[in-house]
Amino acid sequence: MDLEERGMNDEEMRLHQTNLHTADWKRWGPYLAERAWGTVREDYSPDGSAWEYFPHDHARSKAYRWNEDGLLGICDRGQYLCFALALWNHKDPILKERLFGLTGNQGNHGEDVKEYYFFLDNTPTHSYMKALYKYPQAAYPYQQLIDENARRTKEDPEYELFDTGIFNENRYFDVFVEYAKEAPEDILIRITVVNRGPEAAPLTLLPTLWFRNTWIWGEHTPVPNLTAAQPENPAGKAEAIKAIRAEHPIIGEMWLLCQSISSGPELLFTNNETNYQRLYGPSVNNSSPYVKDGINDYIVQGRSEAVNPEKTGTKAAACYRLTIGAGETCEVRLRLTRWPTISEPLGVSFERIFRTRKQEADDFYAAYVPDGASEDLQNIQRQAFAGMLWSKQFYHYNVATWLDGDPGFPPPPPQRKSGRNHDWRHLDNFDVFSMPDTWEYPWYAAWDLAFHCIVFALIDPAFAKRQLILLCREWAMHPNGQLPAYEWNFNDVNPPVHAWAALRVYRIEHRLTGKADLHFLERIFHKLLLNFTWWVNRKDPEGRNVFQGGFLGMDNIGVFDRNAPLPSGETLEQSDGTAWMGFFCLSMFAIAVELARDDPAYEDMAIKFFEHFLFIAGAINNIGDSGISLWDEQDHFFYDVLRMPDGTAIPLRARSLVGLIPILAVETIEDEDLKRMSEFRERADWFLEKHPELASLVCHLHVKGDQDRRLLALVRPERLVEVLRRMLDPNEFLSDYGIRSVSKYHEQHPYVLNLNQEIRSVDYEPAESRTTLFGGNSNWRGPIWFPINYLIIEALQRFDYYFRDSFKVECPTGSGNQMTLWEVATELSHRLVHIFLRDGNGRRAVFGDNETFQTDPNWKDYIPFHEYFHGDTGKGLGASHQTGWTGLIAKLIEQSGA
């Protein structure tokens, strides 16, 4: 049932108004990053050492050039004005204004946030949002975390905040922050603090408002202003309120209205400008006596001179000095609004608005809950959606300005002109992007973003489409057609999934709303033609339809670092690189077929991608007519092949996702499309007649399947059976929690390659990486990764769309249980869901052996959506808030339940 049939609920109406530009409900949102320090954008070092150039210790004192950060905060979409929490437990050496974690060089498995926070709710227009931060009452162990993780090796587990004992006896505060919009620029804020400990404890709460610094970079930008002010009360009825007025040349006037209670607030003012004297010594002058860390110094050090007595500046906080009894709760109300004269803005209507927006959020998400879903399953899906929406962040990066430097500052080191991203001078990002993780990866990544859009297509298809278009705009896509990978290296090569994502977003929106947005599909198709051409020209240099790719997202999966030249002139023929291009071809083919329904001119493009796909299929089986195949007849599996300088070939028999990627390249053609596309049909018949050797490899164009559909696939049925036999074997790829990235077979039988007297190996590593490739912060040698699992599930569904009951396989291998491919896809979906779902003993696999997470009522229902998962136990690993592609769990729940 589409929207027209069932009518719009309140949140859908807000989305509709936003899309029509009649009300800008998305102007304010959770667009404030959890981390801006240690990013490439803020790195002006000569050698690209971003983590060291701008460390956490500088973040409280140094003004950011490109992006702001803050604790569970919000900002407008241009990030001119920001709001976030700051906290002090009266024991920490600094305010808790931002999350702490280890840098890529400090962590024994790479960068890692060392905090506990959870995104609990959010709607697409951010009309209601809720998050939780768990703040210890003891001094935060900054140095202990650094020292102990430095002592540990890659063979050791990470040393976590829990391991320090800081949460013993529940001596911490639960700090909940909620936002509810009465209007697009009228945002109610409720902060609720609960003392979970056994004794009363002090807490200084500092809701903070500040401007992103846009005025010191030599561009003659006017300086905005925050001042203490008292709004007029038209009703003449006094309400206990203190207020901060914000005046900005772009966004105009906004007010932060602060509830007055016995413990505050005291309004504190300073400037969001660098404290040069703290960072570089007393001989360097500050531009003002009131600098970025002034409020920190006033609260923690008692330095009254650090804040402006005139109560004006560009950064301000409302200071509440609380003492909260054991088990007690304290609530503080605020309102960020353009209309300060609202009658009783923090009074009776405040609670009613929150109640209404929460109910509207419930009504909105009810449409995506499968029938019969348990409360636990609904909670998992709801938090997955919330994590996706909280990960929308403002991202600002002008590479030319970053390379050349700002007029008001010394020029950057000359090495940068030939260093990182120097050939991306055209890139100029100033927008809200979906990020993989708000702390560990606070920058977009091209292939991550494609998966994000599948989830967003369910709840906000307009945002999903805009995200996909953004990377194809002239200020992002390289003039040569390459999509920017991620800020650490825009030149890196990620799997080409953009076309697939565009088609899926189009189809999901069509299914849910009845709207077929051909304009979007046509627009992105033309841009992706440029990207496809770049792949053909740059990644198939010998014109043999075998694609080397390089990194391709799966960091350490191979014997070699696939981004580096091979040691002695060898060539790596990549099974996955070539299969990804087959996948790209079929996605473009399917888009062309869809567009041809409205415009027959696209039949030309359909035949172009049909032919190119067949040539790729031929190359997988016979590279350049050399007799070398990526299909191994001995093992009945796909492998990379190492081509030696003398022309000999060595199959690299490490069984990994590399050998499963070919099954992703599958598409069906409807009989009605074939009948309608007469020109395509004639030219396809001609091509197949001229190339019968290609037709026999992949094409069921003349063999009708279910409902007379036709099939295009890189893997023909007899090979599909063999590949699935390994994939569904619990002793190889099939875990209780999904498909592993490397076969468990290699646990006892590592793959070893002796090349030029140098031994290289791949074994099964189900947890964190034990290698240093890509910093060792991710691992593709055994764990379960959602993006590839999701693509496998979709591929099996497409095969089933053609075969239906005529094609069954044993699942699990050796069980004697025969399943259709749709049933296998559903089984894999359920295994992924059970990473998060409580089992019969009330335990969640994602929590591993952390008993507090497993059993404590104040922890056990808060779900972390990790980057990847242990190949045997399902424990969450890597980035702990990568709801990005792990947010696909929300889509799996919507389509398959548990």
Side-chain angles (χ1 to χ4, degrees), residues 228-368:
Q230 195 63 37
E232 296 180 10
N233 190 332
K237 183 178 179 181
E239 186 176 2
I241 286 176
K242 290 190 176 182
I244 300 170
R245 182 174 60 208
E247 298 172 290
H248 192 281
I250 294 176
I251 66 170
E253 184 178 272
M254 294 288 289
W255 290 72
L256 181 66
L257 309 181
C258 310
Q259 179 185 21
S260 287
I261 56 179
S262 60
S263 53
E266 178 187 8
L267 299 185
L268 306 173
F269 291 80
T270 187
N271 290 315
N272 183 19
E273 297 187 14
T274 299
N275 185 346
Y276 290 100
Q277 292 186 341
R278 175 183 175 256
L279 297 177
Y280 308 114
S283 61
V284 183
N285 292 327
N286 289 331
S287 58
S288 163
Y290 312 113
V291 287
K292 184 176 178 180
D293 52 15
I295 295 172
N296 174 89
D297 292 354
Y298 174 78
I299 296 294
V300 178
Q301 300 174 15
R303 293 183 53 233
S304 58
E305 72 277 12
V307 295
N308 190 343
E310 300 298 320
K311 297 193 178 301
T312 185
T314 52
K315 178 180 178 181
C319 176
Y320 295 88
R321 293 180 169 87
L322 310 172
T323 298
I324 305 175
E328 292 184 355
T329 298
C330 180
E331 178 183 296
V332 171
R333 296 178 176 186
L334 306 102
R335 193 162 183 161
L336 182 62
T337 183
R338 193 171 291 281
W339 300 282
T341 58
I342 301 167
S343 178
E344 298 188 65
L346 305 177
V348 176
S349 64
F350 189 93
E351 184 60 38
R352 175 186 54 78
I353 293 167
F354 265 103
R355 211 168 35 245
T356 300
R357 293 294 179 263
K358 175 65 167 63
Q359 182 60 54
E360 290 168 355
D362 293 344
D363 296 342
F364 175 77
Y365 283 115
Y368 308 102

Side-chain angles (χ1 to χ4, degrees), residues 10 35 56 244 250 264 353 451 490 494 559 649 654 789 843 890:
D10 292 281
R35 176 173 67 84
H56 176 270
I244 300 170
I250 294 176
I353 293 167
F451 293 100
F490 285 130
N494 288 166
V559 178
N789 270 262
R843 300 177 71 83

Side-chain angles (χ1 to χ4, degrees), residues 269-570:
F269 291 80
T270 187
N271 290 315
N272 183 19
E273 297 187 14
T274 299
N275 185 346
Y276 290 100
Q277 292 186 341
R278 175 183 175 256
L279 297 177
Y280 308 114
S283 61
V284 183
N285 292 327
N286 289 331
S287 58
S288 163
Y290 312 113
V291 287
K292 184 176 178 180
D293 52 15
I295 295 172
N296 174 89
D297 292 354
Y298 174 78
I299 296 294
V300 178
Q301 300 174 15
R303 293 183 53 233
S304 58
E305 72 277 12
V307 295
N308 190 343
E310 300 298 320
K311 297 193 178 301
T312 185
T314 52
K315 178 180 178 181
C319 176
Y320 295 88
R321 293 180 169 87
L322 310 172
T323 298
I324 305 175
E328 292 184 355
T329 298
C330 180
E331 178 183 296
V332 171
R333 296 178 176 186
L334 306 102
R335 193 162 183 161
L336 182 62
T337 183
R338 193 171 291 281
W339 300 282
T341 58
I342 301 167
S343 178
E344 298 188 65
L346 305 177
V348 176
S349 64
F350 189 93
E351 184 60 38
R352 175 186 54 78
I353 293 167
F354 265 103
R355 211 168 35 245
T356 300
R357 293 294 179 263
K358 175 65 167 63
Q359 182 60 54
E360 290 168 355
D362 293 344
D363 296 342
F364 175 77
Y365 283 115
Y368 308 102
V369 177
D371 293 340
S374 66
E375 183 179 342
D376 190 30
L377 190 66
Q378 293 180 53
N379 179 52
I380 294 164
Q381 186 190 48
R382 185 74 164 261
Q383 290 187 41
F385 281 132
M388 297 293 303
L389 290 160
W390 274 94
S391 297
K392 291 165 62 173
Q393 294 178 15
F394 170 76
Y395 183 85
H396 185 201
Y397 187 18
N398 181 308
V399 172
T401 300
W402 178 75
L403 289 170
D404 296 339
D406 292 294
F409 289 80
Q415 298 95 314
R416 292 160 51 83
K417 294 297 179 68
S418 58
R420 175 179 288 136
N421 297 334
H422 72 276
D423 49 351
W424 286 78
R425 293 183 65 89
H426 73 283
L427 190 137
D428 185 6
N429 292 149
F430 187 96
D431 218 309
V432 172
F433 285 86
S434 175
M435 304 300 184
D437 179 285
T438 59
W439 191 94
E440 298 204 20
Y441 306 121
W443 28 259
Y444 64 79
W447 85 301
D448 298 59
L449 186 141
F451 293 100
H452 304 177
C453 290
I454 304 305
V455 184
F456 281 118
L458 283 177
I459 57 175
D460 189 358
F463 179 77
K465 291 182 291 186
R466 191 169 189 275
Q467 289 293 288
L468 292 170
I469 290 288
L470 272 177
L471 290 195
C472 296
R473 294 302 300 265
E474 57 273 20
W475 52 77
M477 175 184 274
H478 198 281
N480 65 18
Q482 184 179 9
L483 295 178
Y486 51 92
E487 69 174 30
W488 285 88
N489 184 4
F490 285 130
N491 280 319
D492 231 333
V493 182
N494 288 166
V497 293
H498 220 73
W500 161 80
L503 182 62
R504 292 296 294 123
V505 166
Y506 167 84
R507 287 175 172 170
I508 291 170
E509 181 183 32
H510 193 189
R511 171 173 67 87
L512 292 178
T513 70
K515 176 184 177 182
D517 192 348
L518 290 170
H519 173 71
F520 157 73
L521 205 58
E522 186 173 30
R523 183 182 180 193
I524 201 164
F525 181 77
H526 287 284
K527 287 288 192 174
L528 290 171
L529 287 173
L530 302 176
N531 185 235
F532 187 87
T533 303
W534 174 82
W535 269 90
V536 171
N537 290 339
R538 295 293 295 273
K539 294 302 174 181
D540 179 25
E542 298 177 25
R544 297 173 299 120
N545 296 299
V546 176
F547 294 83
Q548 295 168 14
F551 170 37
L552 287 177
M554 298 185 288
D555 305 10
N556 64 338
I557 201 167
V559 178
F560 301 100
D561 179 348
R562 301 196 299 171
N563 249 358
L566 295 179
S568 304
E570 302 88 353

Side-chain angles (χ1 to χ4, degrees), residues 84-122:
L85 303 185
L87 307 164
W88 189 48
N89 58 15
H90 295 232
K91 293 179 181 175
D92 279 347
I94 58 174
L95 294 183
K96 180 65 67 174
E97 295 181 275
R98 57 188 52 80
L99 299 172
F100 174 76
L102 302 182
T103 71
N105 299 322
Q106 289 173 336
N108 60 322
H109 294 116
E111 65 264 34
D112 187 36
V113 65
K114 299 298 184 184
E115 306 268 16
Y116 295 106
Y117 57 105
F118 303 92
F119 302 129
L120 303 181
D121 213 348
N122 208 325

Side-chain angles (χ1 to χ4, degrees), residues 106 140 264 376 504 721 867 869 875:
Q106 289 173 336
Y140 188 92
D376 190 30
R504 292 296 294 123
V721 170
E867 183 180 7
F869 301 87
K875 177 184 176 182

